[in-house]
Amino acid sequence: QVLLVQSGPEVKAPGSSVKVSCKASGGSFNTYAFSWVRQAPGQGLEWMGGIIPLLGTPNYAQNFQDRVTIIADESTSTAYMELSSLRSADTAVYYCARGGGTYFRNWGQGTPVTVSS
Amino acid sequence: DIQMTQSPSSLSASVGDRVTITCRASQGITNSLAWYQQKLGKAPNLLIYDVSRLESGVPARFSGSGSGTDYTLTISSLQPEDFATYYCQQYQSMPFTFGPGTKVDIK
């Protein structure tokens, strides 16, 4: 039984950065891809990027290429997503999701991030 | 990027109804398609992957079909717990993209 537990809600000022964590338990950490998907209020799902811990090299969506960093720490079975230069449009719930064939079988509970001055 | 569209964007149905949701990709996605159900305030839940493979624990009233650019999610007999928003997702190529969603509510 795979469980993904994310860090808690964040309130950030415009221009700052946020780092969200996703701790995995159950199953193999290294061999599955972890992705980050966000959902703005009342909107759909948007893939931001992902990483396979065993390979270590992340892939990012073009929309976030310059602002997002995704890493995986095998020692703590935790994936992280850091988004910089925050603006109000980044207000959303951020989900980590794990999958094999890059559909997403397991999801974290979501981390609300509010960007407000 | 592969764009995904869904129709309808919303529908009203009654318990027991057969419901069909369509998803179209902007180019062929070689059966790399999944469907998710999302209830308000919750994370999405995987229903179907590889077009028609039912995820473990998902009721058999859910089914998927399609090929090329056109795909369908069918709920054979709508149950009260099925009122939710449904998303398709392609994983043929990065960036992985989702459809805009179909909200199913009670008639």
Side-chain angles (χ1 to χ4, degrees):
Chain A
Q1 177 89 3
V2 175
L3 187 64
L4 303 178
V5 178
Q6 297 182 223
S7 48
E10 301 269 9
V11 179
K12 294 291 184 179
S16 67
S17 297
V18 68
K19 191 172 186 178
V20 182
S21 67
C22 171
K23 184 171 177 61
S25 60
S28 169
F29 179 77
N30 284 348
T31 56
Y32 284 86
F34 284 85
S35 280
W36 290 88
V37 176
R38 79 174 185 181
Q39 187 170 38
Q43 302 301 306
L45 302 165
E46 184 177 22
W47 183 77
M48 301 176 67
I51 189 169
I52 299 175
L54 187 64
L55 302 180
T57 303
N59 290 284
Y60 301 129
Q62 188 81 14
N63 288 350
F64 302 96
Q65 184 76 35
D66 298 329
R67 299 197 294 137
V68 71
T69 302
I70 294 173
I71 63 172
D73 182 346
E74 297 174 42
S75 67
T76 60
S77 298
T78 303
Y80 297 90
M81 184 283 298
E82 183 170 25
L83 188 64
S84 63
S85 303
L86 291 170
R87 38 208 185 230
S88 58
D90 294 318
T91 294
V93 176
Y94 290 77
Y95 293 101
C96 66
R98 198 185 89 150
T102 57
Y103 49 86
F104 307 120
R105 175 164 277 143
N106 308 110
W107 294 71
Q109 83 276 20
T111 296
V113 174
T114 302
V115 182
S116 174
S117 55
Chain B
D1 297 2
I2 298 174
Q3 307 302 318
M4 307 298 290
T5 58
Q6 286 182 234
S7 61
S9 57
S10 65
L11 66 90
S12 295
S14 301
V15 173
D17 283 353
R18 182 181 182 87
V19 168
T20 298
I21 299 168
T22 297
C23 176
R24 175 166 287 175
S26 59
Q27 62 190 74
I29 55 173
T30 331
N31 298 342
S32 299
L33 185 99
W35 290 95
Y36 301 86
Q37 176 193 69
Q38 187 179 33
K39 296 183 179 178
L40 197 62
K42 300 294 187 183
N45 181 49
L46 177 67
L47 297 175
I48 287 169
Y49 62 96
D50 294 349
V51 177
S52 60
R53 293 180 181 272
L54 198 66
E55 173 68 351
S56 176
V58 173
R61 62 180 179 273
F62 291 92
S63 63
S65 63
S67 63
T69 60
D70 296 324
Y71 298 89
T72 299
L73 173 70
T74 300
I75 309 172
S76 60
S77 177
L78 199 67
Q79 298 302 300
E81 60 269 30
D82 301 338
F83 293 97
T85 300
Y86 294 84
Y87 295 93
C88 60
Q89 179 231 336
Q90 68 81 20
Y91 45 95
Q92 164 73 10
S93 64
M94 287 186 280
F96 306 129
T97 46
F98 294 85
T102 296
K103 184 176 181 181
V104 177
D105 61 22
I106 301 172
K107 183 183 283 184

